[in-house]
Amino acid sequence: MYIAQAFKIKHNWWRYLVGLFIVFIGWQTIGVVPLMVVAFFEAGDLQTFLKASTDSFMSLGINSNLFLVLIIFSFAMGLAGIWFSNRFLHEQKFSKLTTSRAKVDWSRIWFSFFLVIIINAILFAISYVTEPEIYQLNFKLVPFILLLLIALFLLPLQTSFEEYLFRGYLMQGIGVIVKNKWVPLLITSVIFGLLHGLNPEVEKLGYIIMVYYIGTGFLLGIMTLMDEGMELALGFHAANNILAAVLVTTSWSALQTDAIFIDTSEPTAGLTVIVPMLIQYPIFLLILAKKYKWSGWKDKLFGKVQPENIVIEDNQ
């Protein structure tokens, strides 16, 4: 099984602790250097630079596409940290951090990806038809083409980092330590949501939006445990963020881009939380459950993680 296969590798608790430290250094230290350098030159002087926080660096005049690339670079360095830790601390193939299958199932990634695109596109179309006045056309050919290329080829580095960190590295690490499935599902989902609590949307919409972030964490965790691999979660997360980047932007969201439309409505957390939690996510899970014939929900989500019949290479 996906978590239990981590018993085959060097899985001591301290290795995961050191691994997380390496990931943090890559993500929040090495990864932010290019952004800091560009922000400093845009600020023009040290005092202006020091007054600006990471979230407000765009106000210094950094091009939105360049800003997006710089942000993605930090996540790419975090992803490199996960690869390094997984390879050298745990001596595990990266494919085994991805799935319990013999090899990564790309058809699952693409199915999840296009399912999210289709469902979200339909929801946007309904919103546009019923409330066209809240959308302002923002299409600019050259900036949009650059954004589209960045979103398609670079943005998956950001979403993959989050998936490999939460549904991969931490899911397996916590699972083999506590030897059950519900604890890693709970912890990774809550931490995933809390980290998104730093986004400016929380200040604008209030802490009720945390229900959406934590709920999304649970959705991705359930998909990973039920499907015994991260492929569906990788496709879902990539499609969700790519569409958010290229289709609609706002003046108050964490991701401000040269998207096709600008949502000018006064933000409220109501529909933002209710629609995904009560409608979109259950439909998504039902479709996946039917297609991939999921069964044994209780055991896969709440069962024990056992090392039986697994050769443990290191237990020191």
Side-chain angles (χ1 to χ4, degrees):
M1 295 186 295
Y2 177 65
I3 293 179
Q5 67 185 356
F7 280 114
K8 296 180 181 180
I9 64 172
K10 296 179 178 179
H11 57 275
N12 326 85
W13 66 268
W14 62 265
R15 294 180 187 273
Y16 287 99
L17 191 61
V18 173
L20 288 175
F21 178 74
I22 293 172
V23 171
F24 182 83
I25 293 298
W27 173 30
Q28 290 294 317
T29 304
I30 299 173
V32 301
V33 170
L35 174 61
M36 294 297 183
V37 171
V38 172
F40 178 78
F41 280 104
E42 290 290 343
D45 60 78
L46 182 60
Q47 185 176 5
T48 304
F49 170 76
L50 293 176
K51 286 182 178 179
S53 65
T54 302
D55 291 335
S56 62
F57 277 161
M58 282 191 67
S59 64
L60 298 175
I62 302 176
N63 176 272
S64 63
N65 282 333
L66 174 59
F67 184 78
L68 182 58
V69 170
L70 294 171
I71 291 295
I72 292 173
F73 179 79
S74 68
F75 289 103
M77 290 299 97
L79 184 60
I82 295 174
W83 175 87
F84 182 90
S85 301
N86 185 70
R87 174 66 181 83
F88 296 104
L89 275 175
H90 305 283
E91 298 182 7
Q92 178 175 223
K93 293 181 179 179
F94 207 60
S95 62
K96 289 303 178 183
L97 189 61
T98 308
T99 185
S100 61
R101 284 167 274 277
K103 59 181 180 179
V104 176
D105 188 348
W106 283 89
S107 67
R108 276 173 152 82
I109 296 177
W110 288 118
F111 180 83
S112 178
F113 181 91
F114 285 112
L115 182 59
V116 171
I117 294 291
I118 291 170
I119 291 177
N120 284 355
I122 291 173
L123 291 174
F124 170 76
I126 294 172
S127 177
Y128 187 81
V129 169
T130 56
E131 296 181 293
E133 68 279 0
I134 71 173
Y135 294 105
Q136 175 185 329
L137 185 64
N138 185 53
F139 181 76
K140 302 167 188 173
L141 182 59
V142 175
F144 177 76
I145 290 176
L146 291 174
L147 170 63
L148 185 61
L149 292 173
I150 293 169
L152 290 175
F153 296 105
L154 296 181
L155 197 55
L157 292 173
Q158 176 256 320
T159 58
S160 295
F161 164 73
E162 294 186 2
E163 290 311 305
Y164 276 104
L165 178 60
F166 293 103
R167 261 63 63 179
Y169 197 68
L170 288 175
M171 185 76 80
Q172 285 190 349
I174 297 172
V176 295
I177 291 171
V178 302
K179 295 181 174 59
N180 64 50
K181 301 172 185 177
W182 69 268
V183 170
L185 174 61
L186 175 64
I187 292 177
T188 57
S189 300
V190 171
I191 296 177
F192 176 80
L194 292 178
L195 283 182
H196 285 78
L198 300 174
N199 289 358
E201 288 94 334
V202 176
E203 180 179 352
K204 191 72 176 181
L205 299 174
Y207 285 103
I208 185 63
I209 193 66
M210 296 302 297
V211 174
Y212 166 75
Y213 290 134
I214 295 175
T216 301
F218 273 106
L219 170 73
L220 295 167
I222 290 170
M223 288 161 49
T224 299
L225 292 178
M226 290 303 304
D227 202 53
E228 298 289 3
M230 286 171 45
E231 292 98 331
L232 297 175
L234 286 167
F236 178 100
H237 205 158
N240 186 72
N241 284 30
I242 288 172
L243 205 60
V246 303
L247 188 58
V248 183
T249 189
T250 69
S251 61
W252 45 267
S253 63
L255 202 60
Q256 297 181 35
T257 64
D258 290 308
I260 299 175
F261 296 99
I262 298 176
D263 184 346
T264 61
S265 63
E266 185 63 27
T268 58
L271 290 179
T272 304
V273 174
I274 294 173
V275 171
M277 294 297 103
L278 299 183
I279 302 175
Q280 190 175 349
Y281 288 178
I283 290 175
F284 196 81
L285 284 176
L286 285 173
I287 293 173
L288 294 178
K290 183 174 179 60
K291 178 173 176 57
Y292 296 110
K293 299 179 174 59
W294 289 348
S295 60
W297 288 72
K298 182 179 179 180
D299 178 65
K300 287 187 175 181
L301 297 181
F302 301 99
K304 295 180 179 180
V305 178
Q306 301 289 354
E308 283 91 350
N309 301 321
I310 295 176
V311 177
I312 303 176
E313 299 175 0
D314 177 66
N315 195 30
Q316 301 300 317

